[in-house]
Amino acid sequence: MASRTSRDVLSRGLGVLRQAIREQPRIFTVAVVGSVLFGGMIIISARVVGTVIGEVALPAIERGEVGAGTLALAATALFGISVLRVAGIVGRRLGAGYMQYRLQASYRRRVTRRYLELPLSWHHRNSTGTLLSNANSDVEAAWYPIAPLPFAVGTLVMLVGAIVSLFATDWALALVGLAVFPALFALNVVYSRRMAPRQARAQRLRAEVSGIAHESFDGALVVKTMGREAQETARFAGRAGELRDSLIAVGRLRGIFDPLLETLPSLGTLAVLVVGAFRLRQGAISVTELVSVAFLFTVLAFPVRAIGWVLAELPRSVAGWDRVRRVLDATGEMPYGQRVLDPAGSGPATLTFSDVHFSYPPAEAHQPGAQVLGEVGFTVPAGRTVALVGPTGAGKSTIASLAVRLVDPDTGVVTLDGVDVRELTAASLAGTVALVAQVPFVFDDTVRANIALDRPGIDDEAVWAALRLAEADGFVAALPDGLDTMVGERGTSLSGGQRQRLTLARALAGRPRLLVLDDATSAVDPRVEAAILAGLRSSTAEPGVPVASILVVAYRRATIALADEVIYVEQGRVIARGTHNELLATVPGYVDLVTAYEQAEVERAQESPYGDDVAPLPSGLEIEVDR
């Protein structure tokens, strides 16, 4: 079993190397040419050194004098060979390094691009720590053998040249080489087999340590408020200790084999001297040939190790490549169409759901998916505001995700101005619809950068207009540097309500024709929320910000009352629709829900009399309001 596993790793590892060569053939050729030049100069230098010793140094010692011309010629030859060897080293190292880093950069971009192409359902099944490991350490591991690969290829050419040179010199010395070189290869193969499982385990543990670290840091609020610092530290320390032990096992094996790889050529040199002395006494070879062969064995030790380096890194490369390919080969992306709607700012859009069904994919392939929505149908007319109301788990956020095409329905159609959203280009969809999610995300950048996002046409005037509409211009103007204020990672210098209004302003700055608010003002004071929605409904008076259709996931009575129509959903189905007063009069479930929400708001207001935006909590531990 171990033998089959080793052969499988070797075969797959060579496949990874072939892929690298196919993608960077020119750079690889440059690196190999440099490596072959280096190897060729080693063989030639052995001949030159032998000639200098046998035909220059020894005769000079016998005569008691050194000819200046002969000495200059020998020095010139050695210097020229050294220059060519240096040129080979430079070409090999630059080519290998350039090839390795180009591949790493290319595959980081591919992995990241694939992340953005895959639907949210795929991301839900993969932890952030694993995804970070895929794009970083796994990509690095996949192409780690590229650095010694050209050296190893050049070494193979050099070994063939060395064998030919040995046979051209003397058959007995060639037999010594034929004994030593296969032994070196056999030792490298044994080394690779022993190293394969250790490297694979170390790579897996790297990903697990990265995942635990990210989870602990990202969940700092829960860790601290639940007093789990010691337990999380112990959990991380335990897995980090396993990684340490795994890497020590790798180092211990390397510590055993490296001396053997160093010793074997030295033993070959000793054997050459013994056999060579006997052949020299027989008159079969000259001193020049003996010195050349001995010198050749001496300098072969380091290049031959390059083959071992490649073989030793193949298991790690295969482990990393498998993880990278898992991302690149993942299915479920949502291709865009070619249709284009009217540009942003040309008036509100009409959103229509027609008999939409949706199920989230199962955690396991053999399990059925859980249906979230069934027979959902409604319309958000152009320029109107529709409130989506329902208990927790009714499917409101899923409807919001379908409206902006974060996911696609299993059956049914979602249309904008009568066009299936699946037929729209990515740019047209992004320019038509904007989503403000429950949990606001703010980049570690300035207020201006967070709102503009480098989108063309959004200047400071447009930024301030969006801030005014989001009722955020007041607190932004009061910040130390105004629009140039750095808000910190995830907006830690802002309160929850301020972050929500900042993300709302970001959406409005793009002048969307349809605005989807998924409980996007839950951390905002009710009076501020009412002012925001009232401003959105009458935004024709706001210069530079057009009227937009609005689909709002709401639970506050004041918010719901501002809507032109209310859609009440339960268990993924539309139960009733109408105005707020009509549903209060006809739908008992709606009455109970709105009353419960209203009572919860009253209790929260009594417990927290300070309202919204009082100040951020220390150390970035803001409390996100979510139901």
Side-chain angles (χ1 to χ4, degrees), residues 213-289:
H214 182 273
E215 189 176 56
S216 298
F217 302 153
D218 207 37
L221 176 62
V222 176
V223 172
K224 288 182 176 296
T225 55
M226 295 296 178
R228 301 291 298 176
E229 294 94 333
Q231 290 80 1
E232 283 299 303
T233 301
R235 185 164 74 106
F236 179 81
R239 198 53 53 89
E242 291 183 36
L243 177 59
R244 175 204 61 206
D245 294 341
S246 180
L247 292 176
I248 288 175
V250 170
R252 184 181 296 116
L253 186 64
R254 186 167 289 164
I256 293 173
F257 276 88
D258 278 359
L260 294 177
L261 291 171
E262 289 278 2
T263 302
L264 198 54
S266 300
L267 294 176
T269 303
L270 180 60
V272 164
L273 292 175
V274 172
V275 175
F278 177 74
R279 297 290 289 171
L280 182 63
R281 187 178 300 112
Q282 291 181 330
I285 61 174
S286 65
V287 173
T288 298
E289 292 172 329

Side-chain angles (χ1 to χ4, degrees), residues 529-547:
E529 181 187 38
I532 292 172
L533 292 177
L536 292 174
R537 286 170 57 86
S538 59
S539 56
T540 50
E542 187 70 21
V545 181
V547 175

